[in-house]
Amino acid sequence: MTVWIVTSDAAVAGLLGLADGVGGGGGTDGVRVVLADPAPGVPVEALASAVARAVAAGPGDVVLAPDRPAERVLAAAVAVALGAPVLSGVTGFRDGAFEVSRYGGICVDTVALGPTLVAIAEGGATVSELVPDVTVSAPDNDAVTVVEQSVGERPADLAEASRVVAIGRDLASDVELARGLAEAVGAELAGSRPVAEALGWGHDRCVGASGVTIAPEVYVALGISGQLQHLSGCLGSSTIVTVNADASAPIWAHSDYGIVGDARVVVPALIVALQPVAPVGEP
Amino acid sequence: MSIVVAYKFARDPADASVAPDGTVDWSRARPSISPDDAVALALARQVADASAAVLIAVTVGPAAVAVPQARKSALSRGPSRLLAVADDALTDADAAWTAGLLAALVRRVPDADLLVAGDASADEAAGIVPALVAAHLGWPCLLDASAAERTAAGWRVRQSVAGGSRMLEVTGPVVLACTSDAAVAPVPGMRDVLAAGSKPVDVMALADLGVPGPRPPASQRARPAAPQRRQRRFAGPDAAADLVAALRADGVLP
């Protein structure tokens, strides 16, 4: 059996881990990486049909792709070409089966290997060296071209972050406050979908069903009520710290530490408390 | 020319409950047009108006998606016609089957050169069906589209990408899944709902479309283990300092 990884960049540490599990711990033996690497002006999505041809998967093979918009397009092209079902929301591989989070995480399906499968999972951190077995650069046609690229903020890499400070809708106008806390604890800044939309952030900073699923060591949820669609993106965090004025918000059921209160009041106090302790002066 | 917009009548998992054996009880979750698909309907209407195109809606699902209330819910949002496959065999149809059927419906609109869909459905939230439909049709697919306008050769599309946005030009037809804020989805007024009642609806029989049924892999379902969290809350004037001290004492923060 071959495990195929279809990606457009090296942020696939999570997929390599999955591939190792699927392959029975053989590391990268039996793993074939298909890299979509288009020329400037060609979007990754334009390579979909060429990538689908490059994935010469046989019966029982598994094709893994990171859960990012462009790669979902590639994965879909592969799935249709192979006539294979697509598993979205794959969170792990254990005892010979994929674990698939369904319906915002309210239940978990385990899907055994056997038929040819296309599985979409969080790509994970960037690996230092990714040697593709096949590189696809030329689209089948020039139907889609990039004519203008606006560079905004630096893309967030929440998958790499060991700490994340996330804000809810009500804090959209107080983002600098949250940024201050993020800097004080060395965290990446993120948000729920409404706040990401309000601030014009992309999926890369939006945690939850429509953005990224992350599992940092520390997740600080400021003013986040804990809708299912958001929780599904952060429940894997080792520690969840909550600041929320609503003591009955669903997020509290998933919190390790917290303060019931307005984040606008609590966060400045937290930033003060996080200051390095001043050295004790000479007597 | 015609523009096609796809939507799903979906249930919100926040209203579902899960038994210890993993069985999902959807009885309290009333299906409705997925919020993202309402945005897709609004965007598609705008694009159709701007390009003088006919807007046709497509949907696939159990019989409930074609009852009058469900039809009106979609048609009151702007499409002039609805093509549906409504069969209880499709109650838990997977993405592959759903996409194959949607593609078959799009093919029934021979002059279509744009399919608009939402970001993701309320229930599955996978964001994969539009791309699968595109692969069936042999059309390119762009997710996270925030705007589209017709050009002489095809489409000019703005797409959100990590850290910013970009503009793309497409020659020929395309499938777009729009961002959840690509358009404001207005609540249909009484006049829209009344007008929707007289719009044509074609409900196709599942068997007539010739799209093979699912071959879903064998799976088992379970309820995830309840999270074990420390549940420590801090209050009082020193709450912030106490919280930071506890995080440091427990090794959560250095």
Side-chain angles (χ1 to χ4, degrees):
Chain A
M1 183 197 59
T2 303
V3 182
W4 300 76
I5 292 178
V6 172
T7 184
S8 72
D9 70 22
V12 289
L15 298 188
L16 289 168
L18 270 180
D20 184 47
V22 174
T28 53
D29 292 350
V31 176
R32 288 181 66 78
V33 175
V34 176
L35 180 69
D37 185 22
V42 177
V44 167
E45 293 94 324
L47 300 176
S49 54
V51 165
R53 267 200 319 282
V55 178
D61 281 4
V62 170
V63 183
L64 302 175
D67 193 2
R68 296 189 287 258
E71 276 102 340
R72 285 206 299 277
V73 172
L74 303 181
V78 172
V80 168
L82 295 173
V86 183
L87 305 179
S88 292
V90 169
T91 56
F93 185 85
R94 204 165 53 178
D95 301 333
F98 283 109
E99 295 175 325
V100 186
S101 174
R102 296 292 304 278
Y103 308 126
I106 62 170
C107 58
V108 177
D109 287 357
T110 50
V111 180
L113 295 179
T116 310
L117 290 174
V118 174
I120 296 174
E122 286 300 315
T126 301
V127 297
S128 54
E129 195 183 15
L130 184 72
V131 183
D133 297 279
V134 184
T135 300
V136 177
S137 297
D140 285 347
N141 54 54
D142 54 3
V144 190
T145 51
V146 180
V147 291
E148 175 202 316
Q149 183 97 35
S150 80
V151 180
E153 222 182 328
R154 166 185 66 92
D157 194 353
L158 298 187
E160 298 261 20
S162 59
R163 299 179 197 128
V164 171
V165 170
I167 59 175
R169 186 201 319 249
D170 290 349
L171 291 175
S173 52
D174 297 283
V175 64
E176 289 312 315
L177 193 64
R179 203 185 299 275
L181 180 62
E183 282 168 9
V185 296
E188 277 278 2
L189 192 60
S192 64
R193 171 157 149 177
V195 85
E197 283 178 1
L199 295 172
W201 291 350
H203 287 295
D204 51 321
R205 279 190 199 277
C206 171
V207 174
S210 55
V212 294
T213 298
I214 53 172
E217 287 167 27
V218 185
Y219 189 78
V220 183
L222 303 177
I224 284 178
S225 63
Q227 295 296 314
L228 189 64
Q229 286 78 3
H230 179 79
L231 287 179
S232 65
C234 65
L235 281 187
S237 309
S238 306
T239 298
I240 296 182
V241 181
T242 296
V243 177
N244 199 306
D246 177 3
S248 59
I251 186 83
W252 288 108
H254 308 279
S255 295
D256 294 289
Y257 304 87
I259 294 174
V260 179
D262 185 339
R264 290 175 197 81
V265 177
V266 174
V267 169
L270 283 174
I271 293 173
V272 169
L274 283 159
Q275 300 290 322
V277 180
V280 178
E282 295 292 320
Chain B
M1 298 299 269
S2 297
I3 292 173
V4 183
V5 57
Y7 68 91
K8 183 175 187 180
F9 225 61
R11 304 161 293 193
D12 186 344
D15 298 327
S17 58
V18 185
D21 70 353
T23 308
V24 181
D25 175 7
W26 293 100
S27 59
R28 279 176 296 129
R30 257 190 53 201
S32 61
I33 292 179
S34 271
D36 288 353
D37 295 352
V39 175
L41 282 154
L43 179 69
R45 184 65 260 170
Q46 289 172 14
V47 175
D49 287 345
S51 58
V54 177
L55 181 62
I56 297 168
V58 293
T59 195
V60 161
V65 306
V67 302
Q69 180 264 335
R71 300 173 179 194
K72 283 185 196 168
S73 178
L75 289 169
S76 62
R77 293 170 187 272
S80 15
R81 192 177 142 208
L82 170 63
L83 299 180
V85 186
D87 192 310
D88 282 341
L90 296 168
T91 299
D92 288 311
D94 72 346
W97 197 16
T98 301
L101 290 163
L102 286 171
L105 292 180
V106 174
R107 287 197 188 99
R108 304 253 163 161
V109 185
D111 66 343
D113 66 348
L114 174 65
L115 172 64
V116 181
D119 178 41
S121 65
D123 50 3
E124 296 282 1
I128 191 71
V129 168
L132 290 167
V133 176
H136 278 292
L137 295 171
W139 296 5
C141 179
L142 298 168
L143 309 183
D144 292 332
S146 57
E149 68 178 303
R150 193 185 285 281
T151 62
W155 298 96
R156 203 172 157 82
V157 179
R158 180 156 292 281
Q159 183 187 38
S160 294
V161 292
S165 72
R166 64 186 184 184
M167 189 73 85
L168 302 106
E169 277 187 358
V170 182
T171 305
V174 66
V175 175
L176 301 178
C178 63
T179 56
S180 51
D181 57 350
V184 175
V187 177
M190 183 55 74
R191 200 190 307 184
D192 301 317
V193 177
L194 288 173
S198 58
K199 291 179 178 177
V201 177
D202 300 321
V203 181
M204 320 260 170
L206 182 54
D208 289 349
L209 286 171
V211 176
R215 291 175 299 135
S219 67
Q220 287 186 313
R221 182 161 290 177
R223 187 166 70 178
Q228 296 294 314
R229 296 288 179 183
R230 295 193 188 93
Q231 299 281 351
R232 293 182 64 186
R233 291 195 199 186
F234 298 83
D238 296 327
D242 293 346
L243 170 58
V244 170
L247 292 172
R248 287 188 169 137
D250 293 351
V252 177
L253 289 180

